[in-house]
Amino acid sequence: MMKTPVAAALATALLASSAMADISGGIVRLGVLNDQSGIYADFGGRGSVIAAQLAVEDFGGKVLGKPVEIVSADHQNKPDIASVIARDWMDTKGVDAVLELTTSAVALAVQEIAKSKNRAMLVTSASSADLTGKACTKITVHWGFDSYGISSVATKATVASGGDSWFFITGDNAGSHAQEDQARFFLKEANARVLGAVRHPLGTADFASYLLQAQASKAKAIALANAGGDTINALKQAGEFGITQAGQSVVPMLMYISDIHALGLNTAQGLKFATPFYWDRTDETRAWSRRFMERHGGRAPTMVHAGVYTMVTHYLKAVAAGNTDGGEETVAKMKELAVNDALYKNVRIREDGRSLNEMHLVEVKKPAESKGPWDYYKVLATVPGAEAFRPLKAGNCPLVKAD
């Protein structure tokens, strides 16, 4: 069959584009670097690798005619181990972009390496807003949520419902500190009082002493500024202490659907918190989530898993549009293009690397309200990204031009 002039021209352009593409090593390789065996493995872990693989498959397995590969490793929540892995990936394995990262300390450490080697860093689970603030870089995108976004939605809703006195139980790590700091900022704005705070080590099994101090404070709201297994253990023990039955509310600053599953609806019912993603919101999110569940033992995707899928998809679109997998160049193109996929629609990535996706205030259903497995949330309100996240100029990102 003879080609039409238009078809011939298009084919020639595509061949020329592929030939001119600047793809290092002839392969686009993405590395999922996260906790795969510790207290944060449920909300990221192997599920993030599956989400990345789904994105590559949906994109067709190639970009600009070059194959796309996913590699992964467990950083054990240790910045030094993460740094060694990331450096080896970039120096010897040809990894072009690093995804997820899990904790803020890990993300900040790996970012320095990625910056020096011009590789993209696509963060979907570390919570520190510094990643798009004073520590922002041209190779970093912070997707989905951060300590500012989750705290602004949760604290404002709690204060509005009468929670004008607070006590913090905070993990002793960078991300948890950031959660508390941001919440305190909003509480001060609302003239709410902070009656006390305690910090606990990562992986704490016994929260009794911390919960007793929170009870004794008589604060109306007890904030859990931690994540994963620590949040689960604190909430289980809060239930055993009868804290909510006695009139105090427990407010998790960072909560995942995997945490709700571990707790069960009997324990988790009534909790309110912020999330950028819930699998059961639209026909498209449900369809994608069912595919994910088939690969992940029936477990629903967390907001981290959804973020990994979106970041891989958008990164590959940017590589195709920019004809390169260079870190700065590709992230710049990611900021130019609106994010559109099965999970997120028309989301802009700001010049500081912050995604401006919607945030949802959700409440955990009572057991009688749930219609089936993983039917856990009621969406109470949706906050536009421009309102949920820190104003651009307030972050002190050096990439942002002063007026």
Side-chain angles (χ1 to χ4, degrees):
M1 183 180 296
M2 294 183 64
K3 293 182 179 179
T4 66
V6 173
L10 179 60
T12 300
L14 289 172
L15 285 172
S17 174
S18 179
M20 294 170 60
D22 180 18
I23 301 299
S24 56
I27 297 175
V28 175
R29 189 169 284 120
L30 301 97
V32 177
L33 184 57
N34 62 4
D35 177 3
Q36 298 188 10
S37 58
I39 63 169
Y40 301 145
D42 275 356
F43 67 66
R46 182 63 187 167
S48 290
V49 181
I50 292 169
Q53 291 169 337
L54 281 171
V56 172
E57 291 171 16
D58 290 351
F59 202 81
K62 292 184 177 182
V63 59
L64 296 173
K66 307 298 183 182
V68 181
E69 294 183 358
I70 302 295
V71 297
S72 65
D74 183 354
H75 58 45
Q76 303 172 48
N77 297 314
K78 297 178 180 179
D80 56 339
I81 292 177
S83 296
V84 169
I85 293 169
R87 192 177 299 278
D88 179 61
W89 274 359
M90 295 174 197
D91 287 344
T92 69
K93 304 295 193 305
V95 168
D96 302 296
V98 182
L99 290 122
E100 204 210 299
L101 283 310
T102 311
T103 73
S104 298
V106 164
L108 290 165
V110 171
Q111 180 172 252
E112 290 305 307
I113 299 168
K115 181 181 177 182
S116 70
K117 299 181 182 296
N118 194 28
R119 310 299 168 89
M121 199 177 84
L122 312 177
V123 183
T124 63
S125 57
S127 62
S128 176
D130 282 350
L131 288 160
T132 54
K134 62 184 181 181
C136 76
T137 74
K138 293 181 179 180
I139 50 88
T140 303
V141 174
H142 199 176
W143 180 265
F145 68 94
D146 62 19
S147 55
Y148 189 103
I150 55 177
S151 296
S152 69
V153 174
T155 55
K156 289 176 182 178
T158 304
V159 171
S161 62
D164 58 3
S165 60
W166 290 62
F167 188 98
F168 285 88
I169 298 176
T170 303
D172 197 6
N173 57 75
S176 298
H177 295 175
Q179 293 173 37
E180 179 182 334
D181 290 344
Q182 293 292 173
R184 283 177 177 269
F185 171 80
F186 296 116
L187 294 174
K188 184 177 181 180
E189 279 194 334
N191 294 317
R193 295 174 298 151
V194 176
L195 303 183
V198 290
R199 290 182 172 176
H200 66 83
L202 186 69
T204 296
D206 186 359
F207 281 85
S209 64
Y210 309 119
L211 291 167
L212 286 171
Q213 291 179 67
Q215 274 188 313
S217 75
K218 305 297 183 183
K220 293 180 182 177
I222 300 171
L224 300 179
N226 48 25
D230 285 335
T231 304
I232 292 167
N233 285 334
L235 284 167
K236 283 181 178 178
Q237 291 168 43
E240 293 167 1
F241 277 58
I243 286 177
T244 55
Q245 294 91 327
Q248 291 174 294
S249 62
V250 180
V251 184
M253 292 287 100
L254 180 56
M255 197 83 187
Y256 301 91
I257 197 168
S258 52
D259 301 335
I260 304 302
H261 190 71
L263 288 165
L265 292 183
N266 281 323
T267 299
Q269 60 183 304
L271 288 173
K272 296 177 183 177
F273 50 90
T275 181
F277 175 81
Y278 178 42
W279 73 273
D280 196 18
R281 290 201 71 235
T282 70
D283 288 343
E284 284 187 282
T285 59
R286 281 187 284 272
W288 180 85
S289 297
R290 291 187 182 108
R291 291 173 56 213
F292 177 90
M293 291 181 193
E294 289 174 0
R295 303 269 189 104
H296 197 40
R299 298 179 65 83
T302 68
M303 58 187 179
V304 171
H305 300 145
V308 169
Y309 177 86
T310 290
M311 280 292 88
V312 172
T313 300
H314 196 59
Y315 173 84
L316 294 176
K317 288 180 181 179
V319 169
N323 278 319
T324 179
D325 59 3
E328 286 191 18
E329 299 87 346
T330 304
V331 169
K333 188 62 66 172
M334 292 176 77
K335 295 173 183 178
E336 288 180 20
L337 303 173
V339 176
N340 276 295
D341 59 29
L343 310 183
Y344 291 94
K345 302 297 182 187
N346 299 316
V347 178
R348 182 171 69 89
I349 298 171
R350 216 164 50 182
E351 62 187 279
D352 60 351
R354 173 72 265 155
S355 63
L356 295 180
N357 51 273
E358 295 175 334
M359 293 292 289
H360 310 292
L361 177 67
V362 299
E363 180 179 356
V364 179
K365 292 182 175 181
K366 298 175 182 177
E369 295 174 317
S370 177
K371 298 178 181 178
W374 301 95
D375 177 24
Y376 292 161
Y377 295 170
K378 293 184 288 186
V379 177
L380 303 180
T382 296
V383 181
E387 295 179 20
F389 293 103
R390 181 178 57 203
L392 180 62
K393 295 298 176 65
N396 297 315
C397 168
L399 303 180
V400 178
K401 296 178 181 178
D403 290 333

